[in-house]
Amino acid sequence: MAPLLSWSVTADRTANVRRTMQAVFAPGARRGLDGVTVQGTYVQLDVGIDYLDGSEELIPQGRFRLDEEDAALPVGGISVKGYGREKAVIDDKFLIPRTERNSSALDLIEALLLESVPTATVLRRSTRDAVVSVTTWERERWEAIDGTDASLARSVGVEVWADGTGQFVISRVPTLSDPPVWTVDTGDGGALITAAASTSTAGLYNIVVAIGDASNGSTPIGPVIVQDADPTSPTRVSGPMGRRPRHYSSPLLRTAAQADTAARSLLSNSLGLSAGLSFSALPNPALEPGDVVRVVPDDRPAELHIIDKLTLSSTGAMQCETRSTRADDGT
């Protein structure tokens, strides 16, 4: 294929398809089945880093299936849009309702992924697992895997996504207790360019009530209640924001311990939505949504933030959207 004239990649852990790419191939790029086409072409995009010692590193940003193509004929470039490998799984709906029983949740997630993308690999970064009770999913394969209350991932407190190489990853839900992987600050040697803080209560809950739905004939579980009881948290249930419950019901919850794990993962995904920070910085292609970064703006104390969304491009600074619940102590 011809070189890329421009590209951008957005990685968003709140989306079903974590990675999307938009790019423009230079004039002269082949079209059709042996070149750029929406009929099954995949593009692997890697971004290089040049280090001060003269060494170089290529960091994978995604394996993208091209689903949109717009060519400026006869000699113009080719604009394309590509999606991460989750899209292939989403498109592969069940032909008939799918019923599963007595399987490991992680084993079943892996099996459902590989049925759609047999050439992929699945990396397990979490050992959270449980036996799947008798459960039927009508049509949507991805909803069985992740993204809904009836999903396998949500029932064991994990998330499923495709990484920069196209392999699927099963990982636990990130929290602010995870160690920061990068410090973003201003001044000499700093990477921070601009930052904008925002505050919103949209989507915030500080209590999760988890119940094992007995509609499949299993013994009802719960309710199991977890809540933000941290006395230093601005979203604590005893604080000025009051109680904001979220009810979660799933036929996959078989034990109180499993319901507790699932509820705590859901709570981790909500806490911090009231304190967001959007910033632009020098590009760091090694970052991944879910990473914790330490941000040090000029006029504010250092804060720990979880990256929810980031965008890299060939033309400018990296854009990040994050959330946090507390200020760091500055150490």
Side-chain angles (χ1 to χ4, degrees), residues 176-200:
L176 283 169
S177 62
D178 298 334
V181 301
W182 196 42
T183 295
V184 194
D185 57 7
T186 58
D188 291 340
L192 185 63
I193 300 174
T194 62
S198 63
T199 302
S200 172

Side-chain angles (χ1 to χ4, degrees), residues 245-326:
R246 191 259 206 231
H247 291 267
Y248 164 55
S249 176
S250 172
L252 297 171
L253 301 181
R254 294 169 56 99
T255 67
Q258 185 184 359
D260 182 81
T261 296
R264 292 186 186 280
S265 296
L266 286 173
L267 190 65
S268 295
N269 259 337
S270 171
L271 297 183
L273 288 174
S274 62
L277 184 72
S278 299
F279 67 85
S280 62
L282 298 180
N284 181 353
L287 290 178
E288 179 71 38
D291 284 344
V292 175
V293 294
R294 187 169 178 267
V295 183
V296 193
D298 274 335
D299 58 346
R300 297 175 58 183
E303 298 177 345
L304 296 179
H305 287 260
I306 295 174
I307 295 176
D308 278 337
K309 181 178 180 180
L310 62 87
T311 299
L312 286 169
S313 74
S314 58
T315 58
M318 175 180 65
Q319 307 295 323
C320 292
E321 296 180 13
T322 74
R323 57 188 167 89
S324 180
T325 56
R326 60 181 174 81

Side-chain angles (χ1 to χ4, degrees), residues 146-229:
D146 198 357
T148 68
D149 282 356
S151 69
L152 294 158
R154 192 160 293 178
S155 73
V156 293
V158 300
E159 52 189 26
V160 183
W161 45 281
D163 69 7
T165 66
Q167 73 176 347
F168 290 106
V169 179
I170 303 172
S171 62
R172 63 176 182 79
V173 175
T175 70
L176 283 169
S177 62
D178 298 334
V181 301
W182 196 42
T183 295
V184 194
D185 57 7
T186 58
D188 291 340
L192 185 63
I193 300 174
T194 62
S198 63
T199 302
S200 172
T201 61
L204 172 68
Y205 47 87
N206 54 15
I207 303 173
V208 177
V209 182
I211 299 173
D213 181 0
S215 60
N216 60 4
S218 61
T219 302
I221 299 297
V224 173
I225 301 173
V226 300
Q227 56 189 349
D228 180 9

Side-chain angles (χ1 to χ4, degrees), residues 58-105:
L58 284 176
I59 299 179
Q61 296 304 301
R63 182 171 175 81
F64 300 100
R65 190 185 72 185
L66 301 187
D67 276 16
E68 299 179 27
E69 171 195 352
D70 185 10
L73 301 176
V75 293
I78 304 175
S79 300
V80 298
K81 187 170 185 179
Y83 297 87
R85 266 184 159 173
E86 301 97 335
K87 188 66 164 62
V89 182
I90 292 170
D91 288 345
D92 187 17
K93 304 179 189 302
F94 296 130
L95 302 181
I96 59 174
R98 179 72 168 262
T99 299
E100 295 288 347
R101 58 176 60 82
N102 299 326
S103 299
S104 150

